[in-house]
Amino acid sequence: MRRVVPLRGGTVQDHVALAEIELCGDLIIAASAAEDRLSLESIDEVLRVAEARAEYSRE
């Protein structure tokens, strides 16, 4: 078994990667709860695309 030693002795947090992992988890949950394939509109809703677009346009 290979052991991975953390660099610098601490926890490294990549906030972008953590956000992507959370969105992937949300998609997995939505897909597992759906009876059929998720539509593009459903995927956009799960990923909160409309909210992100609105926030981006305010900047």
Side-chain angles (χ1 to χ4, degrees):
M1 176 180 237
R2 178 189 251 187
R3 291 182 181 227
V4 178
V5 179
L7 299 176
R8 293 176 261 145
T11 303
V12 177
Q13 289 190 4
D14 182 340
H15 297 286
V16 173
L18 292 174
E20 289 178 357
I21 291 167
E22 182 178 349
L23 290 173
C24 286
D26 292 345
L27 275 176
I28 291 168
I29 291 168
S32 66
E35 292 182 15
D36 202 5
R37 297 180 113 188
L38 293 176
S39 67
L40 293 178
E41 292 81 18
S42 296
I43 293 170
D44 284 351
E45 185 179 326
V46 170
L47 298 178
R48 299 178 292 277
V49 171
E51 295 170 24
R53 285 183 181 157
E55 184 177 317
Y56 180 76
S57 66
R58 283 182 274 181
E59 293 178 358

